[in-house]
Amino acid sequence: MKQGGQHPIAAGVTALVAVAVGVGLIVGIGMFVGANIMGLGGGGAADDQGTDPDAGASLYAPSPKPTKTASGPAITLNASPTSAPEKQAASTSPSPSKTVEEKPAKEITLQAGIVQAKPMERIDLSGIYPRGEGAILRLERNDGQGWEEFGIPDVPVRGEQFSTPIQSGRVGKHKFRMKDIDTGTYSNVVTVTIG
């Protein structure tokens, strides 16, 4: 080792620290200049607010205004594409009976998964009951001798839909319908031939 000189390791560490400080200063100055050029600095907006109060604003919220609500239905159910719209009278003033909104009657739509089945083959019956949420339906059958209860547990309506599997050993044509046990409303009739 040299007398009066620095240790080689200490000199290397000192040089490394000097380089790190220099690089840090250059990066810091570059970031400061870049932020001011891009308008991210805080000083420029404060100076501009003296002449323009909205100069530093970055959020704009419009004042609230009342919205108009629709007067008619958003969805029309059970519309027939072949039906023509009703013609209005020549009078421009609406009649009192037309101004009252009429609600369509609840209709139960029934369908069978198959129309031909072997004796004791599973038959899936399902359907839709608009605005019939929570209703209890009873299955009825007519095999040529009049309508009678089919003898399965009552079917609940959930999400305006219902379904139930059935089986029958009686051979022949069978007509099925669903009945709302509270209102007495009937579904359409579906026919399944067993045999």
Side-chain angles (χ1 to χ4, degrees):
M1 277 182 24
K2 294 183 181 178
Q3 296 249 348
Q6 286 186 330
H7 193 278
I9 294 177
V13 169
T14 304
L16 185 61
V17 168
V19 169
V21 168
V23 170
L25 281 173
I26 291 171
V27 169
I29 291 170
M31 289 177 62
F32 177 75
V33 169
N36 281 332
I37 289 173
M38 297 171 86
L40 298 176
D47 295 339
D48 291 343
Q49 282 186 342
T51 56
D52 184 7
D54 292 331
S58 62
L59 176 66
Y60 171 74
S63 43
K65 295 180 182 176
T67 58
K68 295 180 181 177
T69 58
S71 60
I75 298 174
T76 304
L77 298 176
N78 198 17
S80 172
T82 58
S83 65
E86 291 182 22
K87 299 199 178 200
Q88 297 205 355
S91 168
T92 55
S93 63
S95 63
S97 62
K98 294 286 184 183
T99 58
V100 178
E101 186 176 324
E102 296 178 20
K103 294 183 179 178
K106 296 180 186 178
E107 293 185 11
I108 306 171
T109 305
L110 177 65
Q111 63 184 14
I114 55 176
V115 294
Q116 182 81 33
K118 296 176 185 170
M120 298 309 291
E121 183 178 355
R122 178 184 168 131
I123 303 166
D124 291 314
L125 298 177
S126 61
I128 300 172
Y129 192 3
R131 295 192 341 254
E133 183 67 31
I136 303 298
L137 305 179
R138 186 163 293 151
L139 181 63
E140 294 183 347
R141 170 176 61 186
N142 183 345
D143 58 0
Q145 300 179 14
W147 290 103
E148 60 185 7
E149 290 181 15
F150 186 70
I152 62 168
D154 291 337
V155 181
V157 177
R158 292 190 183 104
E160 298 187 349
Q161 298 179 356
F162 60 91
S163 66
T164 185
I166 62 167
Q167 294 175 311
S168 178
R170 290 189 196 172
V171 176
K173 277 192 175 187
H174 300 269
K175 295 179 181 180
F176 294 99
R177 69 181 182 187
M178 287 291 203
K179 175 185 177 183
D180 184 331
I181 61 173
D182 290 329
T183 65
T185 304
Y186 289 101
S187 72
N188 59 301
V189 176
V190 295
T191 304
V192 178
T193 304
I194 299 175

